[in-house]
């Protein structure tokens, strides 16, 4: 019925053969539409769907097709970027998703949803070797329910990266209410 291609570009390679979608011939779980991901090679960037419930011996796949969409579906996928370089994911085919469904991407490191109907390329600098994402396709109520799970319930301050650093660092925090934040950075000398 429809498919979206996920094309990862890192500083040294492209990984373009990755797909999600809805196909009437698809089955729940693994079928002929899902393909195993080729083995990861050295420090190249890779995008994959980790599905140990499909194959416990080799659980990385390059596609995840579902038989129906219902009110919505969510696809979890992972990007491995050992060099922690600037990376981008291009989403091709979003226009084939029926218009009554929103298409949102959430980087689970920062949980800020991105509307893929208005922005087909997502660029980011990898903070860790592994970055997990969720791609959500759904009607309004399904989408609201899925996105609500990303709202923090408590304050949390994370370790800065890189650490040690020279001219710049990133400090992540989760805040359960919307509001202004003030951050004071003080040297060891005060």
């Amino acid at each position: 019925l429809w498919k979206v291609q996920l094309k990862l570009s890192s500083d040294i390679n492209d990984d373009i053969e990755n797909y999600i979608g809805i196909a009437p011939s698809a089955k729940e779980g693994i079928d002929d539409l899902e393909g195993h991901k080729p083995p990861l090679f050295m420090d190249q960037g890779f995008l994959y769907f980790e599905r140990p419930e499909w194959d416990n011996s080799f659980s990385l796949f390059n596609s995840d097709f579902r038989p129906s969409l219902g009110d919505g579906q969510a696809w979890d996928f992972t990007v491995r970027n050992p060099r922690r370089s600037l990376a981008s994911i291009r989403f091709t085919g979003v226009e084939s998703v029926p218009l009554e469904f929103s298409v949102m991407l959430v980087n689970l490191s920062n949980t800020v949803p991105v509307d893929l109907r208005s922005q087909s390329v997502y660029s980011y600098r990898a903070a860790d070797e592994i970055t997990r994402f969720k791609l959500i396709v759904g009607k309004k109520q399904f989408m609201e329910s899925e996105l609500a799970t990303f709202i923090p319930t408590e304050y949390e301050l994370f370790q800065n990266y890189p650490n040690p650093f020279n001219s710049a660092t990133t400090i992540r925090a989760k805040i359960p209410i919307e509001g202004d934040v003030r951050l004071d950075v003080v040297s060891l000398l005060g």
Side-chain angles (χ1 to χ4, degrees):
L1 194 58
W2 59 263
K3 71 178 177 181
V4 174
Q5 184 177 15
L6 292 73
K7 303 175 186 178
L8 171 71
S9 293
S10 71
D11 64 330
I12 61 170
N13 74 300
D14 295 325
D15 180 12
I16 63 171
E17 295 299 324
N18 308 290
Y19 301 91
I20 62 133
I22 300 296
S25 63
K27 296 182 176 111
E28 291 294 337
I30 190 170
D31 57 36
D32 292 339
L33 296 172
E34 277 73 45
H36 282 95
K37 190 76 176 176
L40 305 178
F41 184 73
M42 298 185 66
D43 62 349
Q44 292 186 342
F46 285 92
L47 186 153
Y48 55 88
F49 301 93
E50 192 167 2
R51 305 290 187 261
E53 66 276 14
W54 293 356
D55 184 342
N56 201 24
S57 300
F58 193 75
S59 62
L60 307 183
F61 291 83
N62 66 354
S63 54
D64 184 349
F65 286 90
R66 315 270 173 89
S68 67
L69 190 54
D71 286 336
Q73 292 278 343
W75 284 264
D76 295 308
F77 67 93
T78 302
V79 172
R80 179 181 171 268
N81 186 349
R83 297 165 58 93
R84 298 180 183 176
S85 61
L86 185 62
S88 64
I89 307 168
R90 178 175 298 280
F91 298 86
T92 305
V94 171
E95 66 281 355
S96 68
V97 177
L99 290 176
E100 65 267 23
F101 293 91
S102 298
V103 183
M104 303 292 276
L105 175 70
V106 178
N107 177 335
L108 299 183
S109 296
N110 66 20
T111 66
V112 176
V114 175
D115 182 355
L116 294 179
R117 287 206 184 271
S118 62
Q119 178 181 331
S120 64
V121 178
Y122 176 74
S123 297
Y124 71 102
R125 175 157 307 276
D128 297 307
E129 182 175 326
I130 301 292
T131 306
R132 300 190 190 292
F133 292 89
K134 187 175 284 257
L135 195 152
I136 308 165
V137 178
K139 292 184 177 175
K140 183 178 180 180
Q141 188 173 6
F142 180 87
M143 188 65 67
E144 288 173 354
S145 173
E146 284 289 316
L147 294 177
T149 64
F150 299 111
I151 297 172
T153 57
E154 58 188 33
Y155 293 94
E156 192 169 357
L157 182 63
F158 297 91
Q159 176 67 45
N160 69 307
Y161 60 88
N163 186 11
F165 66 94
N166 189 5
S167 62
T169 191
T170 300
I171 301 171
R172 290 187 311 129
K174 289 185 178 179
I175 303 167
I177 58 172
E178 189 172 327
D180 294 330
V181 175
R182 178 180 161 184
L183 176 67
D184 292 325
V185 179
V186 181
S187 75
L188 291 175
L189 301 174

